[in-house]
Amino acid sequence: MAGTLPNFIGGRWETPAAETAEVHDPATQALLARVPLCGPAEVDAAVRAAASAFGDWRRTPATERVQFLFRLKVLLEAHRDDIARTITRECGKTLAESHGELQRAIENVEVACGIPTLMQGRNLEDIARGIDEHLIRQPLGVVGIIAPFNFPAMIPFWFLPYAIATGNSVVVKPSERVPATMQKLMALVQETGLPDGVVNLVNGGAAAVDALLDHPDVRAVSFVGSTPVARHVYSRGTAAGKRVQAQGGAKNPVVIMPDADPELTTAIVADSAFGCAGQRCLAASLLITVGSARERFLDALGEAAATRRVGYGLEDDTQMGPVITPASRVRIEGHIERAVASGARVLVDGRGQRLADYPHGNFIGPTLLDGVRPDDPLVGTEVFGPVLGLLHADSLETAIGLVNRGAYGNMACLFTESGAAARRFRHEVEAGNVGINIGVAAPMAFFPFSGWKESFFGDLHAQGSHALEFYTQTKVVVERWPREWSRTF
Ligand code: NAD
């Protein structure tokens, strides 16, 4: 029988007496584990453990702190297969996709290993005669990290390596829908020999999140999830005086110009829309064809959608796994039905997918909806499934107008051979991550993962230099040594 997953608090694995929820394999519905739905008591224990570890940890030299991250990188690489299989089992994505996300997690560890250089301040000697001024960066204290279901390894690692490298201590709350991956990652964190309490894990859902937001000893919160929850986290956390970065949902448009390379574009757009079963915050979900692009791409895209092999992520030939829960499948099919009722035409229909070998899986096939009107609710709604809505524009200018009408601003992409069109798009488009002939414009770990409008609440984003700034506070020291000064000069 599947057991209850423990928390990891103060260097000890503890199974709390909290109510539990079941975690199922989305392809088979097999019961994988029970996840405790912790509340204020467990969060308080974790925050206290983190707070008591903070003093020694912040005094540990940065050069020593990063040694644990070097060890973690080696351990993550050694356990790649096991972690990737765990991601696929609980999250549904293909094994190749799980390996891809784990690689992104490792890259963030690599960048955070550079903290002794990245965290340096600056100074100016003699801002006035005999007076020097220094800017130094110091850690904040206890930091909360709250993750969504769709990247159980990568997203916590947009934050965790930077937070601890800069000298903070951490409480991580993974998604209650995919909690097993973090168990594996935490066991490796423990194996590095990191001092007890520097990193803690509390399982749970909304109650654990609210307890972190309300806890007076939590100084900052990093959140990724849907827009309504991101807004809630940002307002409740900042009202309590915390520093908060909250990344939200998305509706990502892709514009294809008539001169775009047909084969490359089709393959890239199909992968963006249907990869990870459309459950990526950078999934293309609206396709805007400009001019004759519509005729050139429609059949090829239809073919790419219709031939994508849907199946169990652990099997070699699977190109697309299931969506996360039965409720997600019903919700996504509902969005398709409503779009059809308001006039969209289904070119490729993924509804009602039943696989003979996995009759209970949450499968839904790639879906292409043509003739979506700009004012259709689908255009402004995050479906978070393998559904691509097609719109048409007579010019690049009209297409950019359609992109910028959207409430979200996570990503926008353009496919073209024209440098001038690309430059205009890059300049005018209202999105934090922009792809030019790229379908999933995910910034590397050494760049911030941007996001605008309803896709982000806060100032500093995840990863890279933004993470460094988010997890540190600056102190400016103005310094004079009068007697020394007069003796020497
Ligand atoms: P979600 O908002 O349901 O959950 C995210 C986290 O918030 C989880 O840890 C969950 O336990 C917690 N939570 C859920 N409801 C809550 C509530 N009412 N109060 C407090 N906490 C609550 O998101 P999800 O379904 O797990 O993930 C998918 C969403 O995440 C999509 O909208 C996707 O676009 C978004 N996402 C965004 C990015 C980005 O970088 N912008 C990246 C990945 C995913």
Side-chain angles (χ1 to χ4, degrees):
M1 202 173 112
T4 300
L5 301 177
N7 293 331
F8 181 63
I9 296 178
R12 291 181 37 221
W13 292 93
E14 302 169 357
T15 305
E19 181 195 334
T20 61
E22 294 185 345
V23 181
H24 295 272
D25 180 327
T28 64
Q29 304 305 347
L31 179 63
L32 299 176
R34 286 173 209 282
V35 59
L37 299 176
C38 296
E42 294 83 2
V43 168
D44 181 57
V47 173
R48 283 212 242 164
S52 71
F54 174 64
D56 280 349
W57 183 243
R58 68 158 288 199
R59 283 189 291 276
T60 304
T63 47
E64 286 178 34
R65 292 198 299 255
V66 297
Q67 297 311 313
F68 297 95
L69 291 175
F70 282 113
R71 256 171 258 154
L72 184 58
K73 169 180 157 63
V74 172
L75 286 166
L76 289 167
E77 286 172 343
H79 292 80
R80 261 183 215 273
D81 287 341
D82 183 33
I83 300 167
R85 294 182 85 79
T86 305
I87 297 171
T88 292
R89 215 170 277 125
E90 67 177 357
C91 190
K93 61 181 70 172
T94 69
L95 210 44
E97 289 166 344
S98 296
H99 275 281
E101 89 152 273
L102 186 56
Q103 178 56 30
R104 288 295 179 123
I106 293 169
E107 287 162 9
N108 277 285
V109 176
E110 291 168 355
V111 173
C113 285
I115 284 294
T117 305
L118 298 171
M119 202 175 162
Q120 289 172 12
R122 53 195 173 86
N123 54 61
L124 183 66
E125 204 179 35
D126 289 322
I127 50 140
R129 282 179 198 282
I131 302 179
D132 305 329
E133 193 158 326
H134 314 270
L135 178 148
I136 56 179
R137 292 189 173 280
Q138 297 191 329
L140 304 173
V142 180
V143 167
I145 296 173
I146 302 160
F149 81 83
N150 61 332
F151 285 98
M154 178 185 80
I155 287 181
F157 274 63
W158 280 354
F159 308 112
L160 189 147
Y162 305 97
I164 62 172
T166 47
N168 299 278
S169 53
V170 162
V171 177
V172 184
K173 207 259 351 132
S175 165
E176 68 277 30
R177 288 188 266 175
V178 290
T181 302
M182 188 49 71
Q183 298 273 315
K184 302 256 174 194
L185 297 173
M186 236 3 103
L188 299 183
V189 167
Q190 186 181 22
E191 212 177 315
T192 64
L194 193 74
D196 293 348
V198 173
V199 173
N200 305 274
L201 158 69
V202 176
N203 287 289
V209 171
D210 287 346
L212 275 170
L213 295 171
D214 295 344
H215 201 294
D217 293 338
V218 173
R219 287 289 316 280
V221 171
S222 300
F223 171 90
V224 180
S226 58
T227 289
V229 183
R231 189 184 285 111
H232 161 75
V233 166
Y234 187 75
S235 54
R236 189 155 170 166
T238 52
K242 300 180 198 320
R243 196 178 273 201
V244 180
Q245 51 181 190
Q247 308 201 189
K251 186 81 187 179
N252 301 308
V254 166
V255 176
I256 304 186
M257 298 295 285
D259 63 351
D261 179 281
E263 273 177 40
L264 191 75
T265 304
T266 303
I268 294 175
V269 170
D271 185 62
S272 176
F274 309 129
C276 296
Q279 299 174 121
R280 272 196 290 230
C281 68
L282 297 183
S285 47
L286 289 176
L287 177 61
I288 306 168
T289 49
V290 175
S292 62
R294 184 183 150 77
E295 280 66 47
R296 298 189 61 213
F297 284 94
L298 207 58
D299 289 349
L301 264 174
E303 172 81 7
T307 55
R308 206 166 182 91
R309 281 189 303 279
V310 178
Y312 191 20
L314 287 177
E315 287 173 0
D316 283 346
D317 60 348
T318 296
Q319 293 178 312
M320 194 178 106
V323 296
I324 189 71
T325 56
S328 290
R329 184 171 58 75
V330 170
R331 184 183 50 78
I332 295 163
E333 293 193 343
H335 284 302
I336 300 171
E337 267 140 41
R338 278 188 293 281
V340 172
S342 64
R345 287 184 306 282
V346 189
L347 294 183
V348 179
D349 195 347
R351 288 174 292 181
Q353 279 258 348
R354 295 288 173 272
L355 304 189
D357 290 343
Y358 304 103
H360 306 298
N362 314 321
F363 293 102
I364 173 161
T367 299
L368 267 191
L369 295 172
D370 192 19
V372 176
R373 289 193 326 274
D375 59 351
D376 192 292
L378 183 82
V379 172
T381 307
E382 181 177 44
V383 173
F384 222 54
V387 179
L388 186 61
L390 270 56
L391 287 85
H392 188 65
D394 53 7
S395 66
L396 177 62
E397 188 179 4
T398 312
I400 292 174
L402 286 172
V403 170
N404 289 349
R405 266 174 74 149
Y408 296 106
N410 217 32
M411 182 187 79
C413 299
L414 179 73
F415 287 81
T416 184
E417 292 286 299
S418 158
R423 188 182 188 285
R424 180 170 182 187
F425 188 83
R426 189 180 75 195
H427 186 70
E428 294 183 10
V429 89
E430 293 171 6
N433 303 295
V434 174
I436 304 293
N437 297 314
I438 296 283
V440 180
M444 295 294 285
F446 34 85
F447 282 99
F449 189 104
S450 201
W452 286 15
K453 295 161 82 175
E454 295 281 289
S455 297
F456 182 71
F457 302 87
D459 304 292
L460 295 162
H461 296 83
Q463 297 196 147
S465 59
H466 279 211
L468 165 85
E469 285 188 49
F470 184 79
Y471 294 123
T472 57
Q473 50 199 342
T474 51
K475 185 179 273 179
V476 179
V477 182
V478 187
E479 191 171 296
R480 169 158 58 196
W481 297 92
R483 272 194 286 161
E484 271 304 308
W485 172 257
S486 53
R487 238 201 320 269
T488 322
F489 301 97

